[in-house]
Amino acid sequence: MANFVPADEFDLVIFGGTGDLALRKLLPALYHRVGDGQITGDSRIIAASRRDVARDDYLQSVEQALRSNLPDGEFREEQWANLRGRIHYARCDATTPEDWGALVGLLDGRDHLVRVAYLATAPRLFGPVAQGLSQNGLITPSSRIVLEKPLGRDFESAGKINDQVGRCFAENQIYRIDHYLGKETVQNLLALRFANSLFEPLWRRGAIDHVQITVAEDLGVGGRVEFYDRIGALRDMVQNHLMQLVCLVAMEAPSSLHHDSVRDEKIKVLRALRPMKGEQIRSNTVRGQYRAGAINGEAVKGYLEELDGKASKTETFVALKLEIDNWRWSNTPFYVRTGKRLPAKHSEIVIQFQDVPHSIFPEQGFEIQSNRLTIRLQPDEGVELSVMAKEPGPGGFELRPVALDLSFEEAFDIRYPDAYERLLMEVLRGNPALFMRRDEVEAAWYWIDAIIAGWEETNHKVESYVAGSWGPAGAVSMLDRNGHTWQPEG
Ligand code: BG6
């Protein structure tokens, strides 16, 4: 049975309160937490944005967003009435000093409550909002600030943002979001590795042949095409989500779940990543861009058509071969890939164990497949271990792989909360373990920047792939050269 401990009373100010993230993710997350009784007393949510919107009109747009984003039957009048009563609206252009009055008025006399500023805005506003909060005396000892990604577009810009925010908030008050860390299955990876003694002796070179991480999306870039064209898949997905997954798979056991214990171990992995340069850029990185194709039988446009024919070398797909230079992972490649307009929304981590050293079974038309542990992140969250088994029946040995399959949904029989529900509650409770520390973000950018520079220097090719396929041919040959194959097959 889930344990829903209420948060202390709070004021949560969402900058960018009329934006897509607030309406599609944050307010539905708060709606569910209200439903489970975790938001109590006089806690309030204050949406702040540049727009001049009356509170009632804002409430209407929230109600509409909830009705269209919640699964059928989950909108309940009573629950909405509870949330609605807590929502306020303040017009605030963060860059205009005289524009903070409404917010100051709403927060007046409430310094004793937990105060969270959630910046669901463009990163160029992170510094000005932090400064505005400071200049208007709105930062209290129990204040926290939440920064949404992208945190800059390279090492240098991330450093500048961190400096600007760091002048107003202490590091332990800054919560940098990577929503993948709030996903239940990502956290289950910690449980799998560190609450079971079975895996640890095998979790290393010698037993593991290689690791694969796939984060595939069937969606294209949608309404974000202009933004996305300046960013690309490497910055949008690899620098944060995929690097975090690599860290959780590869890190040593932290001594506890204390936030700095976990983050200290993650950063060691980032620092052990072999820098990509020269020949490695050519052989260990693949960029792709989708052209028109079909997904689930429906025709979809190519990326350049979505850009109205504008020329672009922005990648919508990336595959990388990573080497981690430490004792545990020496010569054990980690392959990662992510892309838009792939056949399905499908994310998983595959731990591929080594082949048996010698087969005692007579060759009878079957192959002994090496064991594979698959951690399915989405959809159908779960863990699957493939083992070889004998087919029942007399006469000889016919072996085939079978799966020991654990579906979390079936095992626990509860609704899977969205990552934002957990992350918001962790911020309100003051637990930064699931958020990125400054040095982590900067170490990840440092490693990614070398790839971007390498791509520019070598004019690295952007291979085209058909929407609905598993990406460009180069991603398949990158593994093929090492005798490996993507799972699911590319
Ligand atoms: C975001 C990216 O961080 O993650 C998006 O900016 C991407 O481009 C999204 O679609 C994927 O998240 P999820 O939770 O749907 O896998």
Side-chain angles (χ1 to χ4, degrees):
M1 188 58 198
N3 182 11
F4 297 119
V5 182
D8 289 341
E9 281 177 61
F10 62 82
D11 279 325
L12 166 65
V13 185
I14 305 178
F15 290 87
T18 52
D20 187 56
L21 180 74
L23 294 174
R24 213 167 42 83
K25 288 287 186 186
L26 305 181
L27 286 146
L30 292 161
Y31 169 86
H32 284 299
R33 295 305 91 222
V34 162
D36 286 327
Q38 285 184 298
I39 298 183
T40 56
D42 191 21
S43 295
R44 299 182 312 171
I45 295 126
I46 301 168
S49 114
R50 270 184 314 194
R51 291 209 221 149
D52 206 359
V53 184
R55 179 172 181 235
D56 278 347
D57 293 338
Y58 182 68
L59 289 173
Q60 243 179 35
S61 57
V62 177
E63 181 175 346
Q64 243 172 34
L66 286 178
R67 286 184 187 274
S68 56
N69 282 303
L70 294 172
D72 284 350
E74 276 190 20
F75 184 88
R76 288 179 206 95
E77 292 295 344
E78 205 181 312
Q79 202 166 319
W80 164 232
N82 183 331
L83 178 66
R84 185 193 155 89
R86 300 176 185 281
I87 300 178
H88 298 259
Y89 184 82
R91 202 189 86 77
C92 173
D93 179 346
T95 55
T96 311
E98 46 292 352
D99 227 35
W100 283 75
L103 197 54
V104 171
L106 273 171
L107 293 173
D108 189 36
R110 295 174 63 89
D111 286 9
H112 58 292
L113 302 183
V114 167
R115 182 173 295 166
V116 174
Y118 195 118
L119 275 54
T121 64
R124 67 187 155 74
L125 291 177
F126 292 175
V129 172
Q131 207 181 1
L133 289 165
S134 164
Q135 283 169 349
N136 287 286
L138 297 179
I139 305 181
T140 61
S142 65
S143 283
R144 287 147 215 170
I145 188 164
V146 185
L147 308 180
E148 256 298 333
K149 69 174 270 280
L151 205 95
R153 53 175 287 111
D154 52 21
F155 177 75
E156 197 189 334
S157 55
K160 272 194 194 141
I161 293 173
N162 282 329
D163 285 344
Q164 286 172 343
V165 177
R167 271 181 227 122
C168 310
F169 288 86
E171 178 62 26
N172 65 5
Q173 294 180 298
I174 305 174
Y175 288 65
R176 299 176 189 83
I177 288 238
D178 183 315
H179 78 276
Y180 267 56
L181 294 179
K183 287 185 189 277
E184 285 289 332
T185 351
V186 174
Q187 290 168 34
N188 239 317
L189 190 55
L190 291 179
L192 187 79
R193 286 197 59 196
F194 304 122
N196 296 287
S197 59
L198 175 68
F199 297 111
E200 173 52 23
L202 301 174
W203 209 262
R204 58 188 64 249
R205 73 173 198 295
I208 292 178
D209 184 67
H210 69 275
V211 174
Q212 298 184 11
I213 302 180
T214 296
V215 176
E217 295 183 89
D218 52 350
L219 294 179
V221 288
R224 297 195 308 160
V225 64
E226 269 180 39
F227 161 81
Y228 191 89
D229 200 49
R230 292 194 300 271
I231 301 282
L234 186 69
R235 290 186 171 101
D236 185 44
M237 296 294 288
V238 183
Q239 187 272 342
N240 34 71
H241 308 324
L242 278 99
M243 300 291 267
Q244 286 294 323
L245 296 178
V246 168
C247 287
L248 293 177
V249 173
M251 71 182 187
E252 298 298 314
S255 58
S256 74
L257 265 191
H258 182 269
H259 50 90
D260 276 331
S261 299
V262 177
R263 299 192 291 188
D264 286 349
E265 294 308 332
K266 286 197 290 173
I267 191 138
K268 287 183 202 158
V269 176
L270 292 171
R271 291 189 177 139
L273 286 176
R274 188 175 302 166
M276 292 268 199
K277 48 186 174 199
E279 169 57 19
Q280 280 147 355
I281 295 281
R282 200 188 62 73
S283 57
N284 294 354
T285 74
V286 176
R287 314 166 75 181
Q289 189 185 75
Y290 60 83
R291 58 176 190 272
I295 294 183
N296 288 329
E298 269 191 38
V300 295
K301 284 186 186 172
Y303 179 71
L304 294 180
E305 291 163 76
E306 294 190 47
L307 268 179
D308 288 333
K310 200 178 115 195
S312 168
K313 282 188 73 180
T314 299
E315 76 287 351
T316 58
F317 176 98
V318 189
L320 304 175
K321 176 184 169 199
L322 280 64
E323 305 272 3
I324 303 175
D325 285 331
N326 63 19
W327 274 45
R328 187 184 284 268
W329 298 114
S330 177
N331 286 324
T332 312
F334 277 56
Y335 300 106
V336 303
R337 65 175 168 170
T338 182
K340 304 263 183 212
R341 289 291 191 221
L342 300 185
K345 186 165 178 71
H346 180 100
S347 303
E348 67 181 27
I349 300 170
V350 174
I351 313 288
Q352 181 71 56
F353 289 93
Q354 291 198 330
D355 290 339
V356 291
H358 162 73
S359 172
I360 62 164
F361 301 96
E363 287 299 327
Q364 283 187 353
F366 61 79
E367 211 182 303
I368 300 189
Q369 284 185 15
S370 43
N371 301 120
R372 184 185 297 152
L373 178 71
T374 305
I375 301 154
R376 293 190 304 266
L377 304 182
Q378 57 191 23
D380 186 20
E381 293 84 350
V383 177
E384 183 182 305
L385 178 64
S386 81
V387 293
M388 291 303 290
K390 180 188 169 300
E391 273 189 22
F397 266 94
E398 277 298 323
L399 303 190
R400 66 182 170 92
V402 289
L404 305 177
D405 196 353
L406 166 69
S407 157
F408 291 144
E409 197 150 9
E410 279 170 27
F412 297 109
D413 192 27
I414 56 161
R415 178 186 76 84
Y416 258 71
D418 186 75
Y420 280 96
E421 294 178 46
R422 167 170 284 263
L423 293 174
L424 276 169
M425 293 312 295
E426 298 292 310
V427 178
L428 294 169
R429 293 205 186 97
N431 178 13
L434 298 180
F435 300 82
M436 292 180 296
R437 213 167 52 189
R438 173 176 186 155
D439 51 359
E440 268 182 90
V441 176
E442 293 182 4
W445 272 125
Y446 188 77
W447 190 78
I448 291 286
D449 276 2
I451 299 180
I452 295 170
W455 282 352
E456 278 165 15
E457 274 161 29
T458 58
N459 202 12
H460 195 74
K461 190 172 166 208
V462 183
E463 292 180 48
S464 149
Y465 62 96
V466 182
S469 72
W470 278 102
V476 176
S477 31
M478 183 172 82
L479 266 67
D480 205 32
R481 285 195 289 277
N482 297 299
H484 298 144
T485 317
W486 287 109
Q487 300 299 327
E489 281 191 38

